[in-house]
């Protein structure tokens, strides 16, 4: 007898599984759950042919990795992104190999929903596709999402002129005291027709269109204006802003940014420039001059996404950084793999020997706090502490935080601000968050 789960009735799922028995079990489970449409394929070639001849888009694709002729990674590389939806790996390979496969597939621009071990666990399968049990999946499956737009330069220019790009702020907390020590400025596009657009939708286009300098300066001006509402009361909280190497290679930038900061009567020592390798600079000498002069004028410098960029160690040796910010991919991997923990510990040891502050981004769970305290990180940033929020919500968050007793060294008593702001979780991007 079918168990009624009406919330699944509109879902469409593609099952790609080599083993006949496993495929039959998966299909049976999905039908019991109440999934409206289930389509099956025994190998990658069959699945590609099916997608080629089928106009419908799937919400999820459950994909076996080990298949004859065309394995799961090959299939996902060739599959049309718009049709396969989120991907759930179904595999018996070991965790480290599966983790490598996930990293490869993310590089294809595919969204992963989770992994199923064999034999299949019915309840876990249900949780992966359930909009009730997993709100993140609900946002994907049921929210009408804006597809990636190829905005024109004119679209972006008009949005800049109309002030549609606004700063959001995400707090950074000291691991030892639990106190906020800074906020990162993150860009959001308040589109009149499409609502809030995540930075991944427009930052690369801004860079290629030559508009990234103007966006950065507009956000800096707006953010400094917002800080007037709390800066005098919380002078210990710094502001950090991401800067593309394409912006920093312009040797006129230090004077322009110093003029902006002075006009807002803010001490440059309270501002950190996060150098983010979203693109390779054409003029490395100009980049080096800009960051050196900014540091001479009092700005702090942070090497963002440390360990993942084109030349992190080279930059660390040549540029006057005060801080390294470890990419959240390392943070996520350290939750599961000892090897990643060893790498993180080495990063922290290197930073301490160079007298650099260490920031861990992507802190999402209470257990992360304990782990990264033990590894020796100085500062944490992530959804466990607070989501990115508007300037008005930040003022309220700081007020609540100030009135909330802290527990040392554990910082989990910091209030959850999800009621105050509901930005797109998105992926890490410029102003990028």
């Amino acid at each position: 007898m079918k168990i009624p789960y009406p919330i699944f009735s509109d879902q469409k799922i593609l099952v790609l599984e080599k083993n006949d028995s496993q495929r039959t079990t998966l299909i049976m489970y999905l039908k019991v759950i109440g999934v409206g449409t289930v389509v099956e394929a025994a190998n990658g070639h069959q699945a590609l042919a099916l997608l080629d001849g089928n106009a419908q888009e799937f919400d999820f694709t459950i994909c076996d990795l080990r298949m004859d002729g065309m394995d799961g990674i090959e299939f996902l590389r060739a599959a049309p992104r718009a049709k396969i939806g989120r991907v759930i790996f179904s595999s018996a390979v070991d965790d480290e190999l599966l983790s490598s496969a996930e990293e490869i597939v993310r590089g294809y621009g595919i969204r992963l929903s989770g992994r199923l071990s064999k034999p299949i666990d019915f309840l876990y399968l249900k949780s992966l596709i359930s909009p009730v049990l997993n709100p993140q999946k609900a946002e994907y499956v049921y929210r009408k999402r804006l597809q990636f737009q190829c905005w024109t330069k004119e679209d972006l220019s008009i949005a800049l002129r109309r002030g549609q790009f606004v700063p959001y702020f995400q707090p950074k907390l000291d691991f030892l005291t639990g106190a906020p020590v800074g906020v990162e400025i993150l860009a959001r596009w308040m589109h009149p027709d499409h609502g809030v657009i995540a930075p991944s939708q427009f930052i690369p286009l801004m860079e290629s269109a030559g508009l990234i300098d103007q966006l950065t300066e507009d956000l800096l001006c707006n953010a400094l204006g917002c800080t007037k509402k709390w800066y005098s009361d919380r002078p210990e909280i710094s502001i950090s802003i991401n800067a593309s190497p394409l912006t920093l290679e312009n040797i006129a930038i230090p004077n322009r940014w110093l003029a902006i900061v002075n006009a807002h009567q803010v001490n440059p020592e309270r501002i950190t420039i996060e150098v983010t390798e979203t693109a390779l600079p054409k003029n490395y000498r100009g980049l080096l001059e800009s960051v050196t002069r900014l540091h001479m004028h009092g700005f702090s410098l942070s090497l963002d996404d440390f360990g993942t960029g084109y030349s992190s160690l080279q930059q660390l040796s040549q540029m006057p950084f005060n801080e390294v910010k470890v990419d959240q991919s390392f943070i996520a991997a350290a939750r599961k793999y000892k090897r990643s923990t060893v790498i993180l510990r080495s990063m922290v040891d290197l930073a301490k020997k160079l007298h650099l502050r260490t920031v861990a981004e992507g802190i999402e769970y209470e257990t992360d706090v304990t782990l990264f305290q033990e590894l020796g990180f100085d500062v944490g940033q992530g959804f466990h502490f607070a989501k990115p929020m508007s300037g008005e919500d930040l003022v309220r968050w700081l007020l609540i935080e100030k009135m909330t007793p802290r527990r040392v060294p554990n910082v989990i008593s910091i209030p959850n601000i999800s009621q105050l702001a509901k930005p797109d979780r998105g992926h890490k991007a410029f102003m990028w968050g």
Side-chain angles (χ1 to χ4, degrees):
M1 180 179 178
K2 181 181 287 190
I3 303 172
Y5 293 115
I7 58 173
F8 298 98
S9 60
D10 292 332
Q11 288 199 28
K12 302 178 181 67
I13 296 180
L14 170 62
V15 174
L16 175 53
E17 169 62 54
K18 170 188 174 181
N19 184 278
D20 291 341
S21 176
Q22 293 283 354
R23 190 169 67 254
T24 300
T25 299
L26 263 172
I27 293 170
M28 178 186 70
Y29 282 172
L30 292 171
K31 290 296 185 181
V32 169
I33 290 172
V35 173
T37 303
V38 181
V39 178
E40 62 177 296
N43 57 61
H45 291 295
Q46 283 184 15
L48 285 180
L50 185 152
L51 291 171
D52 186 52
N54 196 328
Q56 71 176 339
E57 297 179 3
F58 293 96
D59 296 302
F60 293 92
T61 293
I62 301 176
C63 183
D64 190 6
L65 282 178
R66 285 179 172 165
M67 295 181 292
D68 297 331
M70 177 184 286
D71 61 44
I73 293 176
E74 288 181 290
F75 162 74
L76 292 171
R77 172 162 32 90
R81 306 287 180 269
K83 287 192 174 183
I84 60 175
R86 292 186 74 110
V87 170
I88 299 171
F89 279 144
S90 171
S91 180
V93 302
D94 64 76
D95 282 348
E96 291 201 357
L97 185 58
L98 191 54
S99 180
S100 297
E102 289 174 338
E103 189 64 27
I104 292 168
V105 170
R106 287 191 188 97
Y108 299 154
I110 293 171
R111 299 183 69 183
L112 294 173
S113 187
R115 45 171 87 166
L116 283 169
S117 57
K118 298 179 179 179
I120 304 300
D121 183 306
F122 173 81
L123 292 178
Y124 187 60
L125 169 63
K126 180 168 172 276
S127 73
L128 285 178
I129 65 172
S130 171
V132 172
L133 299 180
N134 195 327
Q136 286 181 258
K137 308 305 180 296
E139 181 180 356
Y140 176 80
V141 176
Y142 289 98
R143 182 170 61 88
K144 183 177 181 181
R145 293 167 292 118
L146 173 69
Q147 298 296 319
F148 184 82
Q149 297 285 337
C150 292
W151 309 104
T152 66
K153 182 175 181 179
E154 182 64 17
D155 292 330
L156 300 174
S157 297
I158 291 172
L160 281 167
R161 290 197 300 270
R162 294 177 178 176
Q164 293 175 2
F165 295 100
V166 301
Y168 267 48
F169 302 86
Q170 186 170 34
K172 302 177 182 179
L173 276 66
D174 186 286
F175 272 126
L176 185 61
T177 66
V181 293
V183 291
E184 181 180 1
I185 301 169
L186 306 167
R188 295 293 185 268
W189 184 357
M190 300 301 178
H191 197 284
D193 298 321
H194 300 296
V196 181
I197 299 178
S200 58
Q201 295 278 343
F202 57 84
I203 291 300
L205 302 172
M206 284 282 195
E207 290 181 324
S208 62
L211 298 173
I212 198 68
D213 293 7
Q214 184 180 346
L215 174 65
T216 306
E217 291 187 7
D218 286 356
L219 287 168
L220 179 60
C221 289
N222 291 340
L224 291 176
C226 292
T227 62
K228 292 179 181 179
K229 298 177 181 178
W230 53 266
Y231 222 34
S232 60
D233 188 48
R234 305 298 294 268
E236 75 280 8
I237 298 177
S238 65
I239 303 168
S240 62
I241 185 168
N242 294 271
S244 167
L246 299 182
T247 295
L248 292 171
E249 69 181 7
N250 181 352
I251 58 175
I253 287 297
N255 288 344
R256 280 162 45 182
W257 287 8
L258 188 61
I260 291 172
V261 170
N262 288 338
H264 285 83
Q265 299 181 325
V266 175
N267 189 332
E269 293 180 358
R270 292 179 172 174
I271 299 177
T272 297
I273 308 298
E274 295 190 7
V275 182
T276 305
E277 290 182 310
T278 53
L280 279 170
K282 298 176 182 178
N283 178 12
Y284 184 79
R285 289 182 180 274
L287 170 63
L288 182 59
E289 177 181 330
S290 289
V291 297
T292 301
R293 291 178 57 218
L294 284 166
H295 190 54
M296 287 171 52
H297 287 294
F299 293 87
S300 294
L301 296 174
S302 175
L303 179 55
D304 198 11
D305 294 342
F306 178 57
T308 65
Y310 304 107
S311 53
S312 291
L313 290 177
Q314 180 188 20
Q315 290 196 19
L316 198 58
S317 66
Q318 295 180 352
M319 297 185 184
F321 288 106
N322 310 91
E323 173 185 284
V324 291
K325 194 172 186 182
V326 177
D327 183 67
Q328 57 188 339
S329 62
F330 286 102
I331 307 303
R335 299 184 187 115
K336 299 181 287 186
Y337 306 120
K338 183 178 180 181
R339 182 184 299 178
S340 297
T341 304
V342 172
I343 293 172
L344 281 175
R345 193 180 299 278
S346 298
M347 288 180 173
V348 172
D349 290 343
L350 173 62
K352 288 187 181 300
K353 289 177 181 178
L354 295 173
H355 307 290
L356 303 174
R357 185 167 70 165
T358 51
V359 180
E361 61 179 353
I363 303 299
E364 299 203 357
Y365 307 102
E366 182 178 331
T367 51
D368 291 346
V369 177
T370 302
L371 173 60
F372 296 108
Q373 281 177 334
E374 292 175 351
L375 287 172
F377 279 89
D378 300 310
V379 175
Q381 178 181 353
F383 275 48
H384 177 68
F385 298 136
K387 297 180 180 181
M389 61 192 82
S390 68
E392 293 293 333
D393 286 340
L394 177 63
V395 172
R396 290 194 287 270
W397 187 89
L398 289 171
L399 180 61
I400 294 171
E401 184 278 332
K402 189 174 184 179
M403 297 186 297
T404 303
R406 299 193 188 103
R407 289 183 286 168
V408 179
N410 200 324
V411 297
I412 62 172
S413 60
I414 298 301
N416 189 322
I417 199 65
S418 59
Q419 299 89 343
L420 298 182
K422 297 180 180 179
D424 184 353
R425 191 184 189 98
H427 89 298
K428 164 77 175 171
F430 172 54
M431 299 168 219
W432 267 273

